Amino acid sequence: MASSRAFTMTGGDVAYSYAKNSTIQRDVVDAGKELIKEEILEKFDLKSLGFDTPSIVVKIADLGCSVGPNTFFAMQNIIEAVELKFLQAKSQNLSALEFQAFFNDHYENDFNILFKTLPPSRKYFAAGVPGSFHGRLFPKSSLHLAHMSYALHFLSKVPKAVVDRNKSNVLNSSEEEVVEAYSTQFKNDMECFLNARAEELVSGGLMLILAGAAPDGISVSDTMAGVYNDVMGSCLKDLVKMGVLGEEKVNSFNVPMYPATVTELDSVFRRNTNFSIEKMEKFAQPMKTPLTPEGYALAVRAGSDGLIRNHFGDEFAEQIFNHFNAKVEPNFSKFLEVMRNNLNLFIVLKRI
């Protein structure tokens, strides 16, 4: 599968780094903590997984981990739930229990920052696994648990049909042929993703997914991705009129992500016969941390700075984001509205 810098969040210690601007994603991880605990206590079958030997190593992967700290909170939530499961199974020797945690993201991810900020009191052995989660990452039947939070919407690439149009999707996110091309790419990517995990997870292993989803029946332009597309698209149009950017360069700019609907997600999971759907539950967008226009603009840049630099060049990034920032405040009420309407899904799949 093709890799892309588009999926890599901003590392380092800059003001717009992902580590400093991912409270929205942190709220989702926190909201999923009890859901994950309940499912592990109920569905993580120690006997069928072979945890009846003197040496017990539970292997967990976080797919699309980025640079932290959210991945560390997610890993801790899972480990606490597994420890509780072993504690309830009184026949198990807790002193023999060990954890191996695998942190996965694209090769361009800032793994240096990730490992510099590892929690010093962690209960696991840590390893980095670079590569696209749309393909194989681990040996066959080597994982007991796989986790993913807010990364399912990233595609392996911009659909070829969209690239061939030479007409920026950021400016045309509601066109039927564009939406259809992205939907088809998403379904193909999900098939690859699920087939890869089916080989890597042991029989009875669990995949725990926290994902954003678009409500059924709404236009793509009314999703979080759609509003971003509209505002960023208008910025790029303005910069073309100002002579800063070339029209051809803007026309070839497309965003490799797709806001799948609840029905689309349900369909792709049901189509794959390697997993049983143990749970697919909606929960509202948590908004524990008040969001400001400045905070939203920084969060957007944390997620898309690499994409912009990769396509337009470092020398244009500041102008593009300064122009985008100026448009956030007058559009902020719309940003908040689509965020409140956004659905989150907690999905549990078990390897058959």
Side-chain angles (χ1 to χ4, degrees):
M1 302 298 298
S3 176
S4 171
R5 288 177 62 187
F7 307 135
T8 304
M9 303 296 103
T10 303
D13 194 41
V14 294
Y16 51 88
S17 69
Y18 181 81
K20 293 179 178 179
N21 298 282
S22 54
T23 54
I24 296 172
Q25 294 90 333
R26 168 67 190 278
D27 288 347
V28 172
V29 170
D30 288 347
K33 179 176 181 177
E34 286 302 311
L35 298 171
I36 285 174
K37 183 175 80 171
E38 289 172 8
E39 290 302 300
I40 287 177
L41 291 178
E42 183 181 346
K43 309 281 174 58
F44 198 61
D45 190 327
L46 302 184
K47 187 174 181 180
S48 69
L49 289 166
F51 292 129
D52 51 3
T53 61
S55 178
I56 304 168
V57 181
V58 179
K59 297 180 180 180
I60 310 164
D62 190 31
L63 307 170
C65 67
S66 190
V67 294
N70 294 341
T71 186
F72 305 137
F73 294 126
M75 192 61 67
Q76 186 60 33
N77 292 344
I78 293 170
I79 286 173
E80 287 177 1
V82 172
E83 285 181 324
L84 184 56
K85 178 71 176 184
F86 274 88
L87 189 63
Q88 290 181 351
K90 297 179 181 178
S91 61
Q92 301 290 344
N93 180 11
L94 275 179
S95 62
L97 179 60
E98 294 187 301
F99 294 95
Q100 174 75 69
F102 299 100
F103 297 96
N104 155 257
D105 213 309
H106 280 284
Y107 294 95
E108 295 87 353
N109 187 56
D110 195 341
F111 283 101
N112 285 332
I113 286 291
L114 177 73
F115 288 113
K116 281 180 181 178
T117 55
L118 274 168
S121 59
R122 62 191 179 275
K123 295 182 178 181
Y124 50 84
F125 297 95
V129 181
S132 169
F133 56 62
H134 293 107
R136 282 286 301 279
L137 296 164
F138 303 95
K140 289 185 177 180
S141 302
S142 61
L143 294 178
H144 303 107
L145 288 155
H147 172 268
M148 174 181 277
S149 178
Y150 256 50
L152 206 63
H153 55 285
F154 291 121
L155 302 178
S156 66
K157 60 184 178 181
V158 174
K160 185 176 183 300
V162 172
V163 174
D164 291 345
R165 292 171 80 248
N166 192 32
K167 193 176 182 183
S168 176
N169 174 55
V170 170
L171 307 178
N172 302 279
S173 61
S174 295
E175 290 190 9
E176 187 175 340
E177 62 180 302
V178 170
V179 175
E180 182 60 32
Y182 270 85
S183 177
T184 299
Q185 183 66 49
F186 175 77
K187 291 168 186 173
N188 291 339
D189 283 349
M190 284 301 300
E191 183 178 2
C192 293
F193 170 78
L194 291 170
N195 288 339
R197 303 294 84 76
E199 292 199 62
E200 297 164 351
L201 281 160
V202 301
S203 178
L206 298 180
M207 185 146 56
L208 310 165
I209 301 172
L210 297 166
D216 290 319
I218 72 166
S219 166
V220 170
S221 61
D222 292 325
T223 65
M224 292 173 68
V227 173
Y228 164 81
N229 283 359
D230 290 344
V231 177
M232 181 58 78
S234 70
C235 291
L236 299 178
K237 275 184 177 178
D238 290 348
L239 292 172
V240 168
K241 291 176 182 176
M242 294 162 60
V244 176
L245 298 175
E247 186 173 8
E248 186 175 344
K249 195 70 173 175
V250 169
N251 282 344
S252 62
F253 178 64
N254 297 285
V255 180
M257 64 175 67
Y258 176 68
T261 65
V262 175
T263 296
E264 283 177 305
L265 286 167
D266 182 73
S267 175
V268 295
F269 292 135
R270 292 189 185 282
R271 194 163 57 242
N272 192 289
T273 58
N274 295 308
F275 293 93
S276 62
I277 302 175
E278 300 295 312
K279 175 162 284 192
M280 192 166 174
E281 178 179 301
K282 297 176 186 177
F283 63 100
Q285 176 73 30
M287 297 284 285
K288 294 196 313 183
T289 309
L291 189 63
T292 63
E294 180 185 11
Y296 176 80
L298 285 169
V300 167
R301 185 164 187 181
S304 59
D305 186 74
L307 173 65
I308 293 292
R309 290 179 184 275
N310 188 42
H311 185 80
F312 293 103
D314 293 345
E315 66 272 25
F316 295 108
E318 289 301 325
Q319 286 176 280
I320 291 171
F321 283 109
N322 285 342
H323 208 61
F324 178 85
N325 294 351
K327 293 203 174 196
V328 168
E329 188 153 4
N331 288 281
F332 193 57
S333 61
K334 190 170 184 181
F335 290 135
L336 290 179
E337 181 183 355
V338 296
M339 284 184 66
R340 291 190 189 100
N341 293 334
N342 183 57
L343 297 175
N344 289 289
L345 294 180
F346 175 53
I347 304 151
V348 181
L349 306 177
K350 178 179 276 192
R351 179 67 172 97
I352 296 172

